[in-house]
Amino acid sequence: MADKEDPKKGKRSKGTSKEVCGYPLSIFFIVVNEFCERFSYYGMRAVLVLYFKYFLRWDDDLATSIYHTFVALCYLTPILGAIVADSWLGKFKTIIYLSIVYAIGQVAMAVSAIHDITDTDRDGTPDNMTFHVVLSMVGLLLIALGTGGIKPCVAAFGGDQFGDHQEKQRRTFFSVFYLCINGGSLLSTIITPILRAQNCGIYSKQKCYSLAFGVPAALMMVALVVFILGSGMYYKAKPQGNIMLDVCKCIGFAIKNRYRHRGNQYPKRKHWMDWAEEKYEKLLIAQIKMVLKVLFLYIPLPMFWTLFDQKGSRWTLQATTMNGDFGLLVIQPDQMQTVNPILILTLVPVMDSLIYPLIKKCGLNFTPLKRMTVGMILAALAFVCAAVVQLQIDKTLPVFPSASQVQLKLLNMGNKTVTVQLQDNEPAILAPAQVSDEYFVFDTDQITVLATAGSTTVHRGISFTKGKRQKLLLPLDLNKEWVQIDDLNSKPEEGNNAIRFVNGKNAEVNVSSAVANFGIIQPFHYSNYSLIKNGKVTFNLQSGSESCEYSRDFGFGSSFTFLIPNNLTFGQNCQEEITSAEDIKPNSVHMALQIPQYFFITAGEVMFSVTGLEFSYSQAPSNMKAVLQAGWLFTVAIGNFIVLIVAELAKLPKQWAEYVLFASLLVAVCIIFSIMAYFYTYIDPAEIEAQFKKVDDDDEDDKSKQQKAEIEMVKRDSVSSSEDDEKSK
Ligand SMILES: N[C@@H](Cc1ccc(O)cc1)C(=O)NCC(=O)O
């Protein structure tokens, strides 16, 4: 396919693409491609950790580190894609080839999640886990190569479709491009978790990860087909040889040459890159200067991503300690993240059509670098909001025992009132089937207990484990064994509720529900904890031929111990008879309080990221557009590494303090960035390149004129000498 280049200097045609409202039609295919690709990427990512945990059966730590390694890899591979595109294959072919790699990776993931492939004993679990692990790791590597590789090319390829006179349209294109990213990711993060929750399988039905990965794989194929369909309309800039190698060699030569001529006797040059002039073209040197100027400006940028990418980790963890009941809708902690793309979809049009024009009308020159600075400040503000919310949450969180403390609750399983004196505390009076309201706190692990029920008094010294919350179950007959059980020492994860039953009856009781099965509980024993989601749950209690029901509404993040009393009558329902001990209170701070922090971080993202994407394109020389896009994405990868380093080094005991630390770091970096931005002069790479080309052309013209003159002279000389010869003859 031939590249279409306008012979008129500086202006470029848009291939054979028709224009619609001043926009090349070809960009329609590019934005649809981006929509499908981001659907594919975010849809797969949304269920990845759960796939590691529940399908591959990895523990939390392994699942989390492989997940973050994968994400980091996705932002490191853009460099590879950009080099291949700018110096070898061109953006068009690079996008096609890497999209194929990407789609193969997605298919590999979908196949790796089919449990039936290795489920030889048909019990619903894979029998050859190595097969599934290897295939999914190969799949993820291919996806990281594909998604990262095409990422800088697609944005730059879209920018290429606009002529130099269409700067305004190109800016709008980058906004629409960002909208498509978020439209695709919003839809997929809603849809793939629903697909995952379905049951599917040939021999046995299991959670349908293969469908949750299969749909993103299909969308990636659609993305590829759509991109190919636009093929005849694209403007395809030619790759210009191994430009990266030339750049490295040129920089290396400039440094060496500068070092060789370091004495005072050598006149200074305007820029250190000018020391390459002896060997390299002025055009290449000018292009390298443009790139270095922008890359230098990128140095502080990773700090923005450090804060931004904590939405998915710290903020989701924060949401697990909050109440997600929105009345008609109950939001799970990880679903709060969808607030980001939803806000993007509203904020980008508002900014583009209202805020920016309004600022312009006020006579303010809101340059791209100023927008990015404001974006950083907004992100810092978001973290201040997160810190304030955290302080509210901390007030409601239970105080768990320190390493040297013991916390103890008493539970009376008998049918008489018991008076219990723990160490020197005031005596606690427990009616039958009653649990003490609060935990008693001790700084020792040896506690003396004096218990009296009726005429029986028992005095015991009991050892407890320091650093733990425990319950002491007082039996029907105080002279019998006193059971000690461990309570939870932390909030249940992901906003779940941890529930267990203690059987105070003389007979076995079977406790079951639609969401959890507690099994048969022996007399005066207890069940394990079961994690259940928020909402109403009805428990069925059965002992012999008798049964009854007990219903309870659960919020988020609570822990309860339910006591089946000794004298339970098993009427129609046991609603009034079951005793409950609220060991950990449900989350009371509402998730809606996270909306301001999401608003600020997303407004910051629109100002910083959408602008930065366009800035990286507009300030890059024509042959290094994709390379600068990759440089931009590289700042995201560095930002992610900083999260790990700062969190590890700072190790602040309070989460709110960590949020404030990150906000302060970003403000400090923002000040440095604004100083750097102040000294940055915007350039028009096409204009600069055209000037150099003109100088070269003029040189060429001069050279060819000179050559022609010389040839003429030689001709004339030879003619005159032959005339002389003739004459002399
Ligand atoms: N706003 C993000 C996309 C996003 C979507 C859903 C989430 O849960 C988190 C983030 C964005 O636009 N990122 C840029 C990109 O190229 O992906």
Side-chain angles (χ1 to χ4, degrees), residues 34 38 41-42 45 75 151 177-178 181-182 185-186 189 305 308 311 334 337-341 344 602 605 609 633:
E34 184 68 8
R38 288 288 93 182
Y41 173 72
Y42 281 106
R45 226 178 78 162
Y75 284 100
K151 193 129 187 59
F177 189 75
Y178 218 81
I181 291 175
N182 285 276
S185 59
L186 174 62
T189 41
W305 300 114
F308 182 77
K311 286 190 306 2
D334 45 351
Q337 283 187 65
T338 54
V339 172
N340 171 262
I344 288 275
T602 312
E605 180 188 357
S609 186
L633 295 169

Side-chain angles (χ1 to χ4, degrees), residues 634-647:
F634 189 65
T635 63
V636 182
I638 302 289
N640 274 282
F641 287 123
I642 298 177
V643 181
L644 301 175
I645 296 167
V646 175

Side-chain angles (χ1 to χ4, degrees), residues 5 10 27 51 268 290 332 335 368 404 561 580 638 663 673 696 715 722:
E5 196 112 23
I27 59 155
Y51 168 75
K268 280 199 175 126
M290 292 181 223
Q332 296 303 323
Q335 285 177 326
S404 60
T561 301
S580 66
I638 302 289
F673 179 72
D696 284 352
K715 268 188 192 166
S722 57

Side-chain angles (χ1 to χ4, degrees), residues 695-713:
V695 170
D696 284 352
D697 286 351
D698 290 349
D699 285 354
E700 278 300 310
D701 286 353
D702 288 349
K703 265 186 212 161
S704 54
K705 268 185 206 157
Q706 205 178 329
Q707 267 174 0
K708 267 186 203 158
E710 278 166 9
I711 293 165
E712 279 302 308
M713 249 168 61

Side-chain angles (χ1 to χ4, degrees), residues 194-445:
I194 297 174
L195 298 177
R196 176 196 76 85
Q198 309 306 307
N199 287 325
C200 64
I202 305 164
Y203 306 130
S204 64
K205 302 281 176 223
Q206 292 296 325
K207 291 275 170 267
C208 210
Y209 288 98
S210 49
L211 189 61
F213 291 140
V215 170
L219 259 287
M220 193 51 222
M221 288 177 209
V222 174
L224 180 59
V225 171
V226 170
F227 187 71
I228 293 172
L229 284 180
S231 171
M233 296 180 208
Y234 300 131
Y235 161 77
K236 298 171 197 138
K238 264 190 200 153
Q240 312 206 345
N242 200 343
I243 187 74
M244 282 313 286
L245 191 67
D246 290 347
V247 169
C248 294
K249 278 187 186 165
C250 184
I251 293 175
F253 179 78
I255 295 170
K256 256 195 280 170
N257 205 26
R258 172 76 191 85
Y259 185 73
R260 265 195 237 122
H261 301 92
R262 59 188 180 282
N264 278 343
Q265 68 271 35
Y266 300 107
K268 280 199 175 126
R269 296 189 187 180
K270 251 178 137 181
H271 192 283
W272 63 269
M273 268 310 298
D274 293 334
W275 287 95
E277 271 175 359
E278 277 87 337
K279 201 170 161 189
Y280 289 89
E281 273 181 23
K282 283 196 170 152
L283 174 62
L284 179 68
I285 294 172
Q287 288 171 326
I288 294 175
K289 281 185 198 168
M290 292 181 223
V291 170
L292 290 180
K293 240 172 88 167
V294 179
L295 286 183
F296 178 67
L297 212 55
Y298 280 176
I299 293 172
L301 303 191
M303 203 60 215
F304 174 87
W305 300 114
T306 301
L307 273 74
F308 182 77
D309 279 331
Q310 291 189 48
K311 286 190 306 2
S313 49
R314 291 272 192 255
W315 287 14
T316 305
L317 290 178
Q318 186 183 59
T320 64
T321 58
M322 301 176 85
N323 175 3
D325 190 351
F326 282 76
L328 288 177
L329 208 69
V330 173
I331 302 282
Q332 296 303 323
D334 45 351
Q335 285 177 326
M336 262 318 267
Q337 283 187 65
T338 54
V339 172
N340 171 262
I342 292 171
L343 281 174
I344 288 275
L345 293 176
T346 42
L347 281 179
V348 169
V350 169
M351 293 282 195
D352 279 352
S353 55
L354 202 76
I355 309 288
Y356 293 150
L358 216 69
I359 293 175
K360 204 173 170 191
K361 261 202 177 147
C362 294
L364 293 171
N365 184 13
F366 203 27
T367 60
L369 293 180
K370 281 185 193 159
R371 286 182 200 184
M372 288 166 73
T373 311
V374 174
M376 285 184 173
I377 294 169
L378 289 172
L381 218 65
F383 266 61
V384 173
C385 292
V388 173
V389 170
Q390 192 61 47
L391 280 169
Q392 296 305 313
I393 295 170
D394 288 350
K395 281 187 207 157
T396 66
L397 285 181
V399 182
F400 292 106
S402 66
S404 60
Q405 280 181 336
V406 166
Q407 290 187 354
L408 187 64
K409 260 191 186 184
L410 301 167
L411 186 151
N412 179 7
M413 288 199 287
N415 46 21
K416 283 192 198 131
T417 298
V418 187
T419 307
V420 188
Q421 181 157 9
L422 297 164
Q423 301 278 75
D424 305 326
N425 282 309
E426 284 287 301
I429 299 168
L430 298 172
Q434 195 188 344
V435 189
S436 54
D437 291 337
E438 301 297 333
Y439 282 93
F440 293 92
V441 183
F442 301 96
D443 285 317
T444 167
D445 50 2

